[in-house]
Coordinates of all heavy atoms in Angstrom, one line a residue:
S1 N 139.1 98.7 92.9 CA 139.2 97.3 93.6 C 139.9 97.3 94.8 O 139.8 96.4 95.6 CB 139.9 96.4 92.6 OG 141.1 96.8 92.2
V2 N 140.8 98.4 95.1 CA 141.5 98.4 96.4 C 141.2 99.6 97.2 O 141.8 99.8 98.3 CB 143.0 98.2 96.1 CG1 143.3 96.9 95.3 CG2 143.5 99.4 95.3
K3 N 140.4 100.5 96.7 CA 140.2 101.7 97.4 C 139.5 101.5 98.8 O 138.6 100.6 98.9 CB 139.2 102.7 96.6 CG 139.1 104.1 97.0 CD 138.4 104.9 95.9 CE 139.0 105.0 94.6 NZ 138.3 105.8 93.7
G4 N 140.0 102.1 99.9 CA 139.6 101.8 101.2 C 140.2 100.6 101.9 O 140.1 100.5 103.1
R5 N 141.0 99.8 101.2 CA 141.6 98.7 101.7 C 143.2 98.9 101.7 O 143.9 98.4 102.6 CB 141.3 97.4 101.1 CG 139.8 97.1 101.1 CD 139.6 95.7 100.7 NE 139.9 95.4 99.3 CZ 140.8 94.4 98.8 NH1 141.3 93.6 99.7 NH2 141.0 94.4 97.5
F6 N 143.7 99.4 100.6 CA 145.1 99.6 100.4 C 145.4 101.1 100.5 O 144.7 102.0 100.2 CB 145.5 99.1 99.0 CG 145.4 97.7 98.8 CD1 144.8 96.8 99.7 CD2 145.9 97.1 97.6 CE1 144.7 95.5 99.4 CE2 145.8 95.8 97.5 CZ 145.2 95.0 98.3
T7 N 146.7 101.3 101.1 CA 147.2 102.7 101.2 C 148.6 102.7 100.6 O 149.5 101.9 101.1 CB 147.2 103.1 102.6 OG1 145.8 103.1 103.2 CG2 147.6 104.5 102.8
I8 N 148.8 103.6 99.8 CA 150.2 103.8 99.2 C 150.8 105.0 99.9 O 150.2 106.0 100.2 CB 150.2 104.1 97.7 CG1 151.6 104.1 97.2 CG2 149.4 105.4 97.4 CD1 151.7 104.1 95.7
S9 N 152.1 104.9 100.3 CA 152.8 106.1 100.9 C 154.3 106.0 100.5 O 154.7 105.0 99.9 CB 152.7 106.0 102.4 OG 153.3 104.7 102.9
R10 N 155.0 107.1 100.8 CA 156.3 107.1 100.4 C 157.1 107.8 101.5 O 156.7 108.7 102.1 CB 156.5 107.9 99.1 CG 156.2 109.3 99.1 CD 156.1 109.9 97.7 NE 157.4 109.8 96.9 CZ 157.5 109.8 95.6 NH1 156.4 110.0 94.8 NH2 158.7 109.8 95.1
D11 N 158.5 107.4 101.6 CA 159.4 108.1 102.5 C 160.6 108.4 101.6 O 161.4 107.7 101.3 CB 159.8 107.0 103.7 CG 160.7 107.7 104.6 OD1 161.3 108.8 104.2 OD2 160.8 107.2 105.7
N12 N 160.6 109.7 101.3 CA 161.7 110.2 100.4 C 163.0 110.1 101.0 O 164.1 110.0 100.3 CB 161.4 111.6 99.9 CG 160.2 111.7 99.0 OD1 159.8 110.6 98.3 ND2 159.6 112.8 98.8
A13 N 163.1 110.2 102.3 CA 164.4 110.1 103.0 C 165.0 108.8 102.9 O 166.2 108.5 102.9 CB 164.3 110.5 104.5
K14 N 164.1 107.7 102.7 CA 164.5 106.4 102.6 C 164.4 105.8 101.1 O 164.8 104.7 100.9 CB 163.8 105.4 103.6 CG 163.9 105.7 105.1 CD 163.1 104.8 105.9 CE 163.3 105.1 107.4 NZ 162.6 104.1 108.3
N15 N 164.0 106.7 100.2 CA 163.9 106.3 98.9 C 162.9 105.0 98.7 O 163.3 104.1 97.9 CB 165.2 106.0 98.2 CG 166.1 107.2 97.9 OD1 165.6 108.3 98.1 ND2 167.2 107.1 97.4
T16 N 161.9 105.0 99.5 CA 161.0 103.9 99.6 C 159.6 104.2 99.5 O 159.1 105.2 100.0 CB 161.3 103.1 100.9 OG1 162.7 102.7 101.0 CG2 160.4 101.8 101.0
V17 N 158.9 103.3 98.7 CA 157.4 103.5 98.6 C 156.8 102.2 99.2 O 157.4 101.1 99.1 CB 157.0 103.7 97.2 CG1 157.3 102.5 96.3 CG2 155.6 104.0 97.1
Y18 N 155.6 102.4 99.8 CA 154.9 101.4 100.6 C 153.6 101.1 100.1 O 152.9 102.0 99.5 CB 154.8 101.7 102.1 CG 156.2 102.0 102.8 CD1 156.6 103.2 103.0 CD2 157.1 100.9 103.2 CE1 157.8 103.6 103.5 CE2 158.3 101.2 103.8 CZ 158.7 102.6 104.0 OH 159.9 102.9 104.6
L19 N 153.1 99.9 100.3 CA 151.7 99.6 100.0 C 151.3 98.8 101.2 O 151.6 97.6 101.5 CB 151.5 98.8 98.7 CG 150.1 98.6 98.3 CD1 149.4 99.8 97.9 CD2 150.0 97.6 97.2
Q20 N 150.4 99.5 102.0 CA 149.7 98.8 103.2 C 148.5 98.2 102.7 O 147.6 98.9 102.1 CB 149.4 99.8 104.3 CG 148.7 99.3 105.5 CD 149.5 98.2 106.2 OE1 150.7 98.5 106.5 NE2 148.9 97.1 106.6
M21 N 148.3 96.9 102.9 CA 147.2 96.2 102.3 C 146.4 95.5 103.5 O 146.9 94.7 104.3 CB 147.6 95.0 101.3 CG 148.5 95.6 100.3 SD 148.9 94.3 99.0 CE 149.9 93.2 99.9
N22 N 145.2 96.0 103.6 CA 144.3 95.4 104.8 C 143.1 94.7 104.1 O 142.8 94.8 103.0 CB 143.8 96.6 105.6 CG 144.9 97.4 106.3 OD1 146.0 96.7 106.7 ND2 144.8 98.7 106.4
S23 N 142.5 93.9 105.0 CA 141.3 93.2 104.6 C 141.5 92.5 103.3 O 140.7 92.5 102.4 CB 140.1 94.2 104.4 OG 139.8 94.9 105.6
L24 N 142.5 91.7 103.3 CA 142.9 91.0 102.1 C 142.0 89.8 101.7 O 141.4 89.2 102.6 CB 144.4 90.4 102.1 CG 145.5 91.5 102.0 CD1 146.8 91.1 102.6 CD2 145.6 91.9 100.5
K25 N 141.8 89.7 100.5 CA 140.9 88.7 99.8 C 141.6 87.7 99.0 O 142.7 88.0 98.5 CB 139.8 89.4 99.1 CG 139.0 90.6 99.8 CD 138.2 91.2 98.8 CE 137.5 92.4 99.4 NZ 136.6 93.2 98.4
P26 N 141.1 86.5 98.8 CA 141.8 85.6 98.0 C 142.1 86.1 96.6 O 143.1 85.8 95.9 CB 140.8 84.4 97.9 CG 140.1 84.4 99.3 CD 139.9 85.9 99.6
E27 N 141.1 87.0 96.0 CA 141.4 87.5 94.7 C 142.5 88.5 94.7 O 142.8 89.1 93.6 CB 140.0 88.2 94.2 CG 139.4 89.1 95.1 CD 138.2 88.4 96.0 OE1 138.5 87.3 96.5 OE2 137.2 89.1 96.2
D28 N 143.0 88.9 95.9 CA 144.2 89.8 95.8 C 145.5 89.0 95.6 O 146.6 89.6 95.5 CB 144.3 90.5 97.2 CG 143.2 91.5 97.4 OD1 142.9 92.2 96.5 OD2 142.7 91.5 98.6

């Protein structure tokens, strides 16, 4: 449902994980 629109990444130096969400839809 999110492949190609969302990207997960992590920065171990900052102890942080991210979720970049593009082309958002109302069903998100």
Side-chain angles (χ1 to χ4, degrees):
S1 60
V2 303
K3 197 173 294 183
R5 297 190 300 126
F6 291 10
T7 302
I8 189 171
S9 62
R10 67 192 297 161
D11 185 337
N12 289 338
K14 295 182 179 180
N15 287 356
T16 301
V17 62
Y18 304 97
L19 186 68
Q20 177 66 44
M21 306 186 294
N22 299 327
S23 302
L24 284 162
K25 307 173 183 179
E27 51 264 42
D28 293 319

